[in-house]
């Protein structure tokens, strides 16, 4: 019995020794880490007090703390930042679809402000701002070294006031200036039009109105065509769409999918990710689709393009998208401000990360630069055909319906030719849809 007691005691003692040897270093390491954090906070307090007491001008202590918080967040990545109460309210207004400003979505690259995309029919769009432009100065003041919120503050101003921005653009040798008049930005999230019996859905942003606008506009267009049986396909144009609300991207994707994953988000290894799946129902009942993207397509628009591409629901046409695949959580803070913090990354249904990679189109189609300085071409000569030859046999056997169909086809071809000079990428998308509809027997 004594042997058993001794053995048990030895086992307990050994367990205590092992636990102590393993746990003690971990506890000491955690204590060291905690002490280091407090030492850094003490250092911050020392610097703060020195500035408050000895800086050449009296400082606003509240502004100092806000600048320190924003500096801490903006050092993480280009999209994390602190939102002061006014900025937080502006962001909530933007998601509702109306706000004041220039009408551009921006990020930061190497200390300079980069345009993700101008928003359709806004002052920046009409002034000629393009996706990929780098803004170096605002009204002659350099943006180098400023945080993104500070750069945004410089661009803000009263509606109707003028702002002059200096731009560096690929393909242009010298920086140049653009004059823009600030205005109230009212975003129409979705514009719908028909090209023959193809519906073109132009998505400019993902705000609270996007899915509702898309659903109602598509329904009305299909009714005008006489029903979905007369629909040859849909072009989803998301070029220069800077993104927006995640749930709106999920709903837009779900509008054309019957099942399967739409997007997943993954954060730290110790935090569970989220997965969003499609529900039954396709607004266009399986009709073919083409998705248009370019370097100005970011975030939510990349989620939609990636989901439809992975499910082979649409042919993606254009150029590689922007590659903004990170998720920002908006966390309210005391004092009516908020923190915008990157908490996870987006992944397409096949497991592809969007971040820094973007969505690669199935068919790469560049948009040719328009040469406005070119002289107008002389009127085209009538085409030389059999019917133009002297003494050609007539077409008395062609019925009125056949003649009318030929005229309609010729008119449609002329419209596409005209569109090709105005928007080459969209014309290409329409050609693809017409080919797909012929292959599908529609």
């Amino acid at each position: 019995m004594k042997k058993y007691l001794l053995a048990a005691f030895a086992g307990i003692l050994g367990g205590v020794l092992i636990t102590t040897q393993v746990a003690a270093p971990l506890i000491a390491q955690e204590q060291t880490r905690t002490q280091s954090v407090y030492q850094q906070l003490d250092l911050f307090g020392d610097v703060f007090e020195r500035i408050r007491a000895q800086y050449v001008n009296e400082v606003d202590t509240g502004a100092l703390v806000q600048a320190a918080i924003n500096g801490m967040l903006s050092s993480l990545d280009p999209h994390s930042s602190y939102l002061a109460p006014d900025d937080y309210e502006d962001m909530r207004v933007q998601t509702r679809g109306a706000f004041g400003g220039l009408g551009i979505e921006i990020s930061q690259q190497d200390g300079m402000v980069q345009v993700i995309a101008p928003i359709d029919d806004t002052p920046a769009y009409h002034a000629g701002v393009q996706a990929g432009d780098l803004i170096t100065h605002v009204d002659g003041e350099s943006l180098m070294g400023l945080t993104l919120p500070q750069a945004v503050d410089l661009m803000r101003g009263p509606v109707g006031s003028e702002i002059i921005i200096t731009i560096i653009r690929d393909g242009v040798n010298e920086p140049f200036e653009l004059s823009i008049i600030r205005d109230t930005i009212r975003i129409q999230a979705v514009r719908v039009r028909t090209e023959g019996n193809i519906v073109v859905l132009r998505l400019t942003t993902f705000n609270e109105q996007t899915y509702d606008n898309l659903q109602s506009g598509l329904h009305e267009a299909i009714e005008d065509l006489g029903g979905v049986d007369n629909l040859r396909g849909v072009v989803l144009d998301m070029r220069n769409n800077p993104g927006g609300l995640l749930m709106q991207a999920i709903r837009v994707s779900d509008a054309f999918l019957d099942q399967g994953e739409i997007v997943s988000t993954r954060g730290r290894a110790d935090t569970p990710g989220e997965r969003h799946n499609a529900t039954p129902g396709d607004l266009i009942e399986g009709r073919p689709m083409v998705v248009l993207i370019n370097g100005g397509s970011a975030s939510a628009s990349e989620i939609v393009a990636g989901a439809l591409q992975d499910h082979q629901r649409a042919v993606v046409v254009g150029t590689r998208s922007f590659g903004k695949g990170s998720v920002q959580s908006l966390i309210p803070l005391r004092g009516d401000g908020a923190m915008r913090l990157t908490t996870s990354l987006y992944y397409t249904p096949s497991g592809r990360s969007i971040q820094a990679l973007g969505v690669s189109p199935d068919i790469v189609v560049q948009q040719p630069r328009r040469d406005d300085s070119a002289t107008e071409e002389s009127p085209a000569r009538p085409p030389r055909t059999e019917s133009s030859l002297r003494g050609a046999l007539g077409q008395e056997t062609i019925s009125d319906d056949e003649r009318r169909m030929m005229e309609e086809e010729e008119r449609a071809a002329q419209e596409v030719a005209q569109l090709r000079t105005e928007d080459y990428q969209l014309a290409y998308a329409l050609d693809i849809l017409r080919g797909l509809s012929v292959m599908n027997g529609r």
Side-chain angles (χ1 to χ4, degrees):
M1 184 68 180
K2 290 181 179 180
K3 291 181 179 179
Y4 289 120
L5 289 174
L6 287 171
F9 178 74
I12 293 171
L13 181 60
V16 170
L17 288 173
I18 291 172
T19 303
T20 304
Q21 289 175 354
V22 173
L26 293 176
I27 293 171
Q29 187 178 5
E30 182 62 29
Q31 288 175 342
T32 302
R33 188 183 296 114
T34 302
Q35 289 173 356
S36 175
V37 171
Y38 282 122
Q39 287 173 355
Q40 294 296 321
L41 290 174
D42 287 342
L43 174 61
F44 171 79
D46 290 343
V47 173
F48 178 83
E49 284 301 322
R50 289 293 180 93
I51 294 173
R52 191 176 65 85
Q54 299 178 14
Y55 186 67
V56 62
N57 296 319
E58 189 173 349
V59 294
D60 182 341
T61 55
L64 274 182
V65 172
Q66 286 189 9
I69 294 171
N70 193 55
M72 177 170 54
L73 288 166
S74 60
S75 70
L76 301 174
D77 63 79
H79 306 292
S80 295
S81 63
Y82 172 72
L83 299 175
D86 289 345
D87 298 332
Y88 183 30
E89 178 59 27
D90 285 347
M91 170 167 281
R92 287 186 287 187
V93 169
Q94 287 182 33
T95 60
R96 293 194 290 267
F99 55 95
L102 305 180
I104 51 175
E105 181 78 9
I106 58 176
S107 67
Q108 206 159 31
Q109 176 184 335
D110 300 329
M112 288 186 288
V113 173
Q114 182 182 38
V115 176
I116 297 177
I119 300 170
D120 284 3
D121 292 334
T122 61
Y125 176 87
H126 291 300
V129 177
Q130 297 181 10
D133 284 349
L134 295 176
I135 303 176
T136 61
H137 294 74
V138 170
D139 291 331
E141 185 172 345
S142 174
L143 302 184
M144 185 65 72
L146 297 184
T147 64
L148 198 59
Q150 289 172 332
V152 171
D153 285 341
L154 283 180
M155 297 183 199
R156 287 184 175 145
V159 171
S161 61
E162 182 186 28
I163 177 175
I164 297 176
I165 60 175
T166 305
I167 286 178
I168 295 176
R169 178 177 295 168
D170 283 344
V172 179
N173 294 331
E174 298 292 334
F176 60 94
E177 293 183 343
L178 287 178
S179 172
I180 305 176
I181 304 299
R182 297 180 178 95
D183 198 359
T184 300
I185 310 301
R186 291 181 177 85
I187 299 177
Q188 185 178 347
V190 182
R191 293 180 176 85
V192 183
R193 79 176 203 252
T194 55
E195 293 286 343
N197 47 7
I198 294 173
V199 175
V200 179
L201 300 170
R202 170 72 180 128
L203 273 65
T204 58
T205 188
F206 286 85
N207 60 27
E208 293 176 1
Q209 307 165 19
T210 301
Y211 176 76
D212 291 339
N213 288 170
L214 180 143
Q215 183 186 40
S216 60
L218 181 57
H219 178 74
E220 184 177 339
I222 290 175
E223 277 193 345
D224 291 342
L225 289 174
V228 72
D229 289 340
N230 296 323
L231 177 67
R232 292 181 75 173
V234 166
V235 175
L236 194 62
D237 184 357
M238 296 188 295
R239 291 172 297 175
N240 294 328
N241 182 323
L245 300 177
L246 170 61
M247 291 311 300
Q248 289 291 316
I250 292 169
R251 294 186 72 188
V252 169
S253 302
D254 195 7
F256 305 104
L257 294 173
D258 279 320
Q259 61 182 355
E261 181 182 308
I262 293 173
V263 66
S264 61
T265 60
R266 305 175 203 170
R268 285 188 175 184
D270 57 347
T271 58
E274 292 185 356
R275 195 178 302 273
H276 301 273
N277 296 316
T279 56
D282 179 348
L283 293 183
I284 59 174
E285 300 180 9
R287 295 316 190 264
M289 291 185 68
V290 169
V291 171
L292 276 176
I293 60 171
N294 64 4
S297 307
S299 189
S301 55
E302 294 176 287
I303 290 173
V304 176
L308 297 179
Q309 184 182 55
D310 280 2
H311 285 287
Q312 299 180 348
R313 181 63 186 88
V315 179
V316 179
V317 174
T319 56
R320 184 180 293 274
S321 62
F322 183 76
K324 196 268 183 185
S326 58
V327 184
Q328 281 71 49
S329 298
L330 203 58
I331 306 169
L333 301 173
R334 67 183 67 181
D336 296 328
M339 174 171 59
R340 183 167 52 190
L341 185 67
T342 300
T343 53
S344 55
L345 298 178
Y346 293 126
Y347 292 83
T348 70
S350 65
R352 294 180 296 160
S353 172
I354 295 172
Q355 178 60 25
L357 299 174
V359 175
S360 180
D362 299 307
I363 303 175
V364 176
V365 180
Q366 300 283 349
Q367 183 81 301
R369 295 180 181 272
R370 295 187 62 181
D371 186 4
D372 296 329
S373 62
T375 57
E376 293 187 4
E377 297 180 359
S378 57
R381 290 185 295 179
R384 184 175 175 84
T385 64
E386 170 69 18
S387 61
S388 67
L389 298 178
R390 180 177 300 176
L393 296 175
Q395 300 174 340
E396 292 81 3
T397 59
I398 297 178
S399 68
D400 290 341
D401 288 341
E402 289 174 328
R403 190 182 303 278
R404 186 162 52 250
M405 183 177 296
M406 290 173 58
E407 291 173 351
E408 289 177 357
E409 289 176 350
E410 184 178 359
R411 184 166 59 251
Q414 290 174 348
E415 289 174 355
V416 170
Q418 176 62 28
L419 180 62
R420 196 168 280 112
T421 64
E422 297 172 357
D423 191 337
Y424 182 81
Q425 289 175 323
L426 178 56
Y428 198 102
L430 294 173
D431 287 340
I432 291 174
L433 271 184
R434 291 187 180 96
L436 289 173
S437 65
V438 170
M439 291 175 61
N440 292 340
R442 294 192 178 101

